[in-house]
Amino acid sequence: GGSAEDGPSPQQLEVLRQHVIDKILTLACPRCAQAFVDFEGCCALTCARCDCRFCAWCLKDCGKGETGNGRSHTHVARCKRKPAGQD
């Protein structure tokens, strides 16, 4: 099992599946990788673990504390990855 003709083994598929869940489908802080289960409202997020302020659309780290808070809101308003009509 696991040869090019056989395709990936069940173990390899599980590793790949977990990678997709952990790294692609899970929103996480760009600074400390703390996962976020869900959020509502504004897409200028604050990490509960490290106080990183970041954009939920593109995960840009905008800094920490109140300075980062202002930068994150400004960035979210102009983010190139923000879908049209999401104001």
Side-chain angles (χ1 to χ4, degrees), residues 36-85:
F36 285 81
V37 177
D38 200 3
F39 68 93
E40 290 183 19
C42 184
C43 288
L45 303 181
T46 301
C47 178
R49 180 190 284 167
C50 72
D51 197 40
C52 175
R53 310 299 173 104
F54 65 97
C55 174
W57 299 117
C58 70
L59 302 180
K60 175 180 173 48
D61 183 335
C62 296
K64 292 175 83 170
E66 288 307 310
T67 302
N69 190 40
R71 283 194 300 249
S72 65
H73 285 280
T74 300
H75 173 81
V76 164
R78 299 179 180 137
C79 183
K80 293 177 182 174
R81 292 200 179 168
K82 179 175 67 171

